[in-house]
């Protein structure tokens, strides 16, 4: 079974979000980069499927040359092939991103057995886009299911059953392959890359293509960081001098009899 997994290079923003001076991008100069959590689970799911049924996992990303690091992360987890759709670093919208992925899917089908399954993260960790997987499926004419937290492939590899949580219940979908499936974090627990896996990923060759830039109808004007709740601490005093003030606070809160 040939499985393609779309991953995205996203910043590891663990603290305060800072914008660039022109308010067009998140300032990532002090941040590291990683794979979106949903997509890390998608890589693990693809590897598990090929371990059961045989086949090859290819990871695909659209981004700058530095995104090769995220492809190597996926290779260390068990993927066998990596494809970098290299850009000049500009942020691509969902329409252009989907078009580049569709071109890669068709290019792979022309030179080798095509993908039987394409896995995507349910949404990007940085921009929150939910569009790419759906747009890819529509362009290819494949079935698409989203929000998936359980996936089963039939033994013959011709069909699949996917389940997702919905309003306190569960929805089940059965469909033929090829298909696009957007999975959510929690569908599995991604493995920790082994030392042999890291060494193999470091030596692996990455296939590179340069998709043409595609203008979209939407224009980004600026980014805005939501106002954060301001916290303030008041020093009541030090030592025994603070006791009367502390009792006054307790009385104000109504916790003293």
């Amino acid at each position: 079974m040939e499985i393609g997994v779309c991953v995205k290079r996203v910043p590891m923003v663990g603290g305060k979000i800072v914008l660039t001076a022109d308010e067009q991008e998140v300032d990532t100069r002090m941040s590291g980069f990683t794979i979106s959590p949903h997509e890390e689970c998608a890589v693990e799911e693809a590897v598990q499927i090929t371990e059961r049924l045989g086949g090859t996992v290819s990871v695909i990303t659209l981004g700058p040359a530095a995104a090769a690091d995220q492809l190597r992360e996926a290779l260390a987890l068990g993927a066998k092939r990596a494809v970098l759709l290299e850009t000049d670093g500009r942020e691509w919208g969902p329409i252009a991103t989907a078009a580049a992925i569709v071109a890669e899917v068709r290019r792979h089908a022309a030179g080798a057995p095509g993908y039987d399954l394409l896995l995507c993260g349910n949404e990007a960790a940085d921009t929150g886009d939910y569009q790419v997987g759906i747009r890819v499926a529509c362009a290819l004419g494949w079935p698409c299911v989203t929000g998936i937290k359980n996936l089963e492939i039939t033994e013959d590899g011709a069909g699949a059953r996917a389940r997702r949580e919905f309003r306190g219940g569960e929805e089940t979908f059965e469909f033929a392959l090829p298909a696009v499936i957007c999975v959510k974090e929690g569908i599995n627990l991604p493995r920790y890359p082994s030392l042999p896996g890291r060494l193999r990923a470091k030596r692996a060759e990455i296939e590179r293509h340069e998709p043409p830039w595609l203008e979209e109808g939407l224009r980004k004007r600026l980014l805005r960081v939501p106002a954060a709740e301001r916290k303030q601490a008041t020093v009541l005093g030090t030592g025994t001098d603070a006791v009367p003030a502390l009792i006054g606070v307790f009385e104000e809160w109504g916790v003293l009899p």
Side-chain angles (χ1 to χ4, degrees):
M1 171 169 281
E2 289 285 323
I3 304 177
V5 184
C6 300
V7 301
K8 185 179 183 182
R9 178 180 190 256
V10 297
M12 293 187 292
V13 181
K16 182 179 179 181
I17 297 176
V18 179
L19 302 180
T20 54
D22 60 2
E23 297 183 310
Q24 291 294 309
E25 306 291 344
V26 174
D27 190 341
T28 59
R29 288 176 297 175
M30 302 302 292
S31 302
F33 288 86
T34 187
I35 299 172
S36 287
H38 297 300
E39 293 155 5
E40 187 178 13
C41 288
V43 173
E44 175 65 27
E45 191 69 17
V47 171
Q48 289 186 17
I49 291 171
T50 55
E51 286 175 344
R52 293 194 304 270
L53 303 179
T56 301
V57 176
S58 299
V59 284
I60 309 161
T61 194
L62 182 141
D69 292 342
Q70 281 62 57
L71 291 176
R72 295 193 190 279
E73 290 177 26
L75 290 170
L77 293 173
K80 302 300 184 186
R81 174 175 170 264
V83 181
L84 174 60
L85 305 177
E86 191 170 344
T87 70
D88 59 5
R90 285 181 289 181
E91 182 70 25
W92 287 40
I95 298 174
T97 300
I101 294 172
V102 168
E104 155 56 24
V105 171
R106 289 173 173 162
R107 178 169 47 241
H108 185 60
Y115 296 113
D116 301 295
L117 184 63
L118 194 65
L119 297 182
C120 304
N122 201 59
E123 71 265 11
D126 53 352
T127 59
D129 290 336
Y130 291 75
Q131 300 183 39
V132 172
I134 298 170
R135 288 185 178 277
V136 169
C138 289
L140 295 172
W142 291 4
C144 180
V145 288
T146 62
I148 298 305
K149 297 194 75 170
N150 183 276
L151 177 62
E152 301 172 15
I153 306 297
T154 58
E155 291 298 328
D156 60 2
R161 180 184 295 108
R163 294 195 292 270
R164 70 181 179 192
E165 298 170 358
F166 181 71
R167 294 182 179 177
E170 188 177 77
E171 293 182 334
T172 301
F173 302 88
E174 295 185 358
F175 47 90
L177 299 182
V180 177
I181 300 176
C182 302
V183 305
K184 295 190 70 172
E185 185 180 8
I187 189 174
N188 54 48
L189 181 63
R191 69 193 68 190
Y192 190 80
S194 64
L195 179 58
R198 289 186 181 276
L199 294 175
R200 179 176 58 83
K202 188 175 182 179
R203 296 191 301 266
E205 181 180 353
I206 293 179
E207 186 178 328
R208 298 172 185 262
H209 302 281
E210 295 184 7
W213 168 258
L214 177 63
E215 288 284 352
E216 296 191 7
L218 297 177
R219 296 288 184 274
K220 177 171 62 179
R221 298 187 60 184
L222 58 85
L223 299 177
R224 182 180 294 113
V225 178
E229 180 182 355
R230 299 186 65 179
K231 298 181 180 180
Q232 182 175 345
T234 301
V235 179
L236 300 177
T238 58
T240 56
D241 295 339
V243 173
L246 180 60
I247 293 174
V249 171
F250 286 160
E251 289 176 341
E252 183 181 346
W253 290 351
V255 297
L256 294 179

mmCIF file with all atom_site columns, all heavy atoms in Angstrom, residues 149-160:
data_model
loop_
_atom_site.group_PDB
_atom_site.id
_atom_site.type_symbol
_atom_site.label_atom_id
_atom_site.label_alt_id
_atom_site.label_comp_id
_atom_site.label_asym_id
_atom_site.label_entity_id
_atom_site.label_seq_id
_atom_site.pdbx_PDB_ins_code
_atom_site.Cartn_x
_atom_site.Cartn_y
_atom_site.Cartn_z
_atom_site.occupancy
_atom_site.B_iso_or_equiv
_atom_site.pdbx_formal_charge
_atom_site.auth_seq_id
_atom_site.auth_comp_id
_atom_site.auth_asym_id
_atom_site.auth_atom_id
_atom_site.pdbx_PDB_model_num
ATOM 1  N N   . LYS A 1 149 ? -10.496 9.840  14.379 1.00 0.00 ? 149 LYS A N   1
ATOM 2  C CA  . LYS A 1 149 ? -9.703  9.375  15.524 1.00 0.00 ? 149 LYS A CA  1
ATOM 3  C C   . LYS A 1 149 ? -9.624  7.850  15.579 1.00 0.00 ? 149 LYS A C   1
ATOM 4  O O   . LYS A 1 149 ? -9.117  7.294  16.558 1.00 0.00 ? 149 LYS A O   1
ATOM 5  C CB  . LYS A 1 149 ? -10.282 9.927  16.826 1.00 0.00 ? 149 LYS A CB  1
ATOM 6  C CG  . LYS A 1 149 ? -10.227 11.446 16.908 1.00 0.00 ? 149 LYS A CG  1
ATOM 7  C CD  . LYS A 1 149 ? -10.473 11.959 18.301 1.00 0.00 ? 149 LYS A CD  1
ATOM 8  C CE  . LYS A 1 149 ? -9.260  11.748 19.201 1.00 0.00 ? 149 LYS A CE  1
ATOM 9  N NZ  . LYS A 1 149 ? -9.404  12.448 20.497 1.00 0.00 ? 149 LYS A NZ  1
ATOM 10 N N   . ASN A 1 150 ? -10.114 7.183  14.528 1.00 0.00 ? 150 ASN A N   1
ATOM 11 C CA  . ASN A 1 150 ? -9.955  5.731  14.424 1.00 0.00 ? 150 ASN A CA  1
ATOM 12 C C   . ASN A 1 150 ? -10.048 5.359  12.956 1.00 0.00 ? 150 ASN A C   1
ATOM 13 O O   . ASN A 1 150 ? -10.954 5.804  12.257 1.00 0.00 ? 150 ASN A O   1
ATOM 14 C CB  . ASN A 1 150 ? -11.028 5.002  15.225 1.00 0.00 ? 150 ASN A CB  1
ATOM 15 C CG  . ASN A 1 150 ? -10.845 3.492  15.182 1.00 0.00 ? 150 ASN A CG  1
ATOM 16 O OD1 . ASN A 1 150 ? -11.282 2.827  14.243 1.00 0.00 ? 150 ASN A OD1 1
ATOM 17 N ND2 . ASN A 1 150 ? -10.194 2.941  16.199 1.00 0.00 ? 150 ASN A ND2 1
ATOM 18 N N   . LEU A 1 151 ? -9.095  4.547  12.479 1.00 0.00 ? 151 LEU A N   1
ATOM 19 C CA  . LEU A 1 151 ? -9.034  4.199  11.062 1.00 0.00 ? 151 LEU A CA  1
ATOM 20 C C   . LEU A 1 151 ? -8.706  2.726  10.900 1.00 0.00 ? 151 LEU A C   1
ATOM 21 O O   . LEU A 1 151 ? -7.774  2.221  11.530 1.00 0.00 ? 151 LEU A O   1
ATOM 22 C CB  . LEU A 1 151 ? -7.975  5.051  10.354 1.00 0.00 ? 151 LEU A CB  1
ATOM 23 C CG  . LEU A 1 151 ? -7.715  4.779  8.869  1.00 0.00 ? 151 LEU A CG  1
ATOM 24 C CD1 . LEU A 1 151 ? -8.968  5.035  8.049  1.00 0.00 ? 151 LEU A CD1 1
ATOM 25 C CD2 . LEU A 1 151 ? -6.557  5.631  8.371  1.00 0.00 ? 151 LEU A CD2 1
ATOM 26 N N   . GLU A 1 152 ? -9.485  2.037  10.063 1.00 0.00 ? 152 GLU A N   1
ATOM 27 C CA  . GLU A 1 152 ? -9.238  0.631  9.756  1.00 0.00 ? 152 GLU A CA  1
ATOM 28 C C   . GLU A 1 152 ? -9.205  0.468  8.237  1.00 0.00 ? 152 GLU A C   1
ATOM 29 O O   . GLU A 1 152 ? -10.083 0.974  7.531  1.00 0.00 ? 152 GLU A O   1
ATOM 30 C CB  . GLU A 1 152 ? -10.343 -0.258 10.326 1.00 0.00 ? 152 GLU A CB  1
ATOM 31 C CG  . GLU A 1 152 ? -10.516 -0.159 11.838 1.00 0.00 ? 152 GLU A CG  1
ATOM 32 C CD  . GLU A 1 152 ? -11.744 -0.905 12.318 1.00 0.00 ? 152 GLU A CD  1
ATOM 33 O OE1 . GLU A 1 152 ? -12.288 -1.731 11.532 1.00 0.00 ? 152 GLU A OE1 1
ATOM 34 O OE2 . GLU A 1 152 ? -12.179 -0.664 13.460 1.00 0.00 ? 152 GLU A OE2 1
ATOM 35 N N   . ILE A 1 153 ? -8.192  -0.236 7.747  1.00 0.00 ? 153 ILE A N   1
ATOM 36 C CA  . ILE A 1 153 ? -8.070  -0.529 6.321  1.00 0.00 ? 153 ILE A CA  1
ATOM 37 C C   . ILE A 1 153 ? -8.431  -2.000 6.110  1.00 0.00 ? 153 ILE A C   1
ATOM 38 O O   . ILE A 1 153 ? -8.012  -2.866 6.884  1.00 0.00 ? 153 ILE A O   1
ATOM 39 C CB  . ILE A 1 153 ? -6.634  -0.276 5.816  1.00 0.00 ? 153 ILE A CB  1
ATOM 40 C CG1 . ILE A 1 153 ? -6.190  1.149  6.178  1.00 0.00 ? 153 ILE A CG1 1
ATOM 41 C CG2 . ILE A 1 153 ? -6.537  -0.495 4.315  1.00 0.00 ? 153 ILE A CG2 1
ATOM 42 C CD1 . ILE A 1 153 ? -7.004  2.243  5.540  1.00 0.00 ? 153 ILE A CD1 1
ATOM 43 N N   . THR A 1 154 ? -9.213  -2.280 5.086  1.00 0.00 ? 154 THR A N   1
ATOM 44 C CA  . THR A 1 154 ? -9.583  -3.664 4.803  1.00 0.00 ? 154 THR A CA  1
ATOM 45 C C   . THR A 1 154 ? -8.343  -4.466 4.424  1.00 0.00 ? 154 THR A C   1
ATOM 46 O O   . THR A 1 154 ? -7.342  -3.913 3.959  1.00 0.00 ? 154 THR A O   1
ATOM 47 C CB  . THR A 1 154 ? -10.616 -3.731 3.667  1.00 0.00 ? 154 THR A CB  1
ATOM 48 O OG1 . THR A 1 154 ? -10.063 -3.112 2.492  1.00 0.00 ? 154 THR A OG1 1
ATOM 49 C CG2 . THR A 1 154 ? -11.892 -2.994 4.052  1.00 0.00 ? 154 THR A CG2 1
ATOM 50 N N   . GLU A 1 155 ? -8.409  -5.770 4.632  1.00 0.00 ? 155 GLU A N   1
ATOM 51 C CA  . GLU A 1 155 ? -7.247  -6.626 4.375  1.00 0.00 ? 155 GLU A CA  1
ATOM 52 C C   . GLU A 1 155 ? -6.777  -6.566 2.935  1.00 0.00 ? 155 GLU A C   1
ATOM 53 O O   . GLU A 1 155 ? -5.588  -6.699 2.645  1.00 0.00 ? 155 GLU A O   1
ATOM 54 C CB  . GLU A 1 155 ? -7.581  -8.074 4.763  1.00 0.00 ? 155 GLU A CB  1
ATOM 55 C CG  . GLU A 1 155 ? -7.742  -8.302 6.258  1.00 0.00 ? 155 GLU A CG  1
ATOM 56 C CD  . GLU A 1 155 ? -6.477  -8.015 7.026  1.00 0.00 ? 155 GLU A CD  1
ATOM 57 O OE1 . GLU A 1 155 ? -5.377  -8.224 6.469  1.00 0.00 ? 155 GLU A OE1 1
ATOM 58 O OE2 . GLU A 1 155 ? -6.558  -7.581 8.197  1.00 0.00 ? 155 GLU A OE2 1
ATOM 59 N N   . ASP A 1 156 ? -7.723  -6.377 1.987  1.00 0.00 ? 156 ASP A N   1
ATOM 60 C CA  . ASP A 1 156 ? -7.323  -6.317 0.583  1.00 0.00 ? 156 ASP A CA  1
ATOM 61 C C   . ASP A 1 156 ? -6.835  -4.926 0.179  1.00 0.00 ? 156 ASP A C   1
ATOM 62 O O   . ASP A 1 156 ? -6.403  -4.708 -0.959 1.00 0.00 ? 156 ASP A O   1
ATOM 63 C CB  . ASP A 1 156 ? -8.485  -6.748 -0.323 1.00 0.00 ? 156 ASP A CB  1
ATOM 64 C CG  . ASP A 1 156 ? -9.714  -5.857 -0.173 1.00 0.00 ? 156 ASP A CG  1
ATOM 65 O OD1 . ASP A 1 156 ? -9.668  -4.875 0.603  1.00 0.00 ? 156 ASP A OD1 1
ATOM 66 O OD2 . ASP A 1 156 ? -10.741 -6.161 -0.816 1.00 0.00 ? 156 ASP A OD2 1
ATOM 67 N N   . GLY A 1 157 ? -6.918  -3.960 1.107  1.00 0.00 ? 157 GLY A N   1
ATOM 68 C CA  . GLY A 1 157 ? -6.442  -2.615 0.821  1.00 0.00 ? 157 GLY A CA  1
ATOM 69 C C   . GLY A 1 157 ? -7.321  -1.829 -0.127 1.00 0.00 ? 157 GLY A C   1
ATOM 70 O O   . GLY A 1 157 ? -6.912  -0.773 -0.619 1.00 0.00 ? 157 GLY A O   1
ATOM 71 N N   . ALA A 1 158 ? -8.534  -2.288 -0.357 1.00 0.00 ? 158 ALA A N   1
ATOM 72 C CA  . ALA A 1 158 ? -9.404  -1.615 -1.321 1.00 0.00 ? 158 ALA A CA  1
ATOM 73 C C   . ALA A 1 158 ? -10.362 -0.629 -0.668 1.00 0.00 ? 158 ALA A C   1
ATOM 74 O O   . ALA A 1 158 ? -10.967 0.195  -1.356 1.00 0.00 ? 158 ALA A O   1
ATOM 75 C CB  . ALA A 1 158 ? -10.212 -2.642 -2.113 1.00 0.00 ? 158 ALA A CB  1
ATOM 76 N N   . GLY A 1 159 ? -10.546 -0.724 0.640  1.00 0.00 ? 159 GLY A N   1
ATOM 77 C CA  . GLY A 1 159 ? -11.510 0.136  1.312  1.00 0.00 ? 159 GLY A CA  1
ATOM 78 C C   . GLY A 1 159 ? -11.066 0.458  2.722  1.00 0.00 ? 159 GLY A C   1
ATOM 79 O O   . GLY A 1 159 ? -10.058 -0.037 3.218  1.00 0.00 ? 159 GLY A O   1
ATOM 80 N N   . ALA A 1 160 ? -11.829 1.319  3.387  1.00 0.00 ? 160 ALA A N   1
ATOM 81 C CA  . ALA A 1 160 ? -11.487 1.735  4.740  1.00 0.00 ? 160 ALA A CA  1
ATOM 82 C C   . ALA A 1 160 ? -12.741 2.044  5.529  1.00 0.00 ? 160 ALA A C   1
ATOM 83 O O   . ALA A 1 160 ? -13.813 2.303  4.967  1.00 0.00 ? 160 ALA A O   1
ATOM 84 C CB  . ALA A 1 160 ? -10.568 2.958  4.698  1.00 0.00 ? 160 ALA A CB  1
#
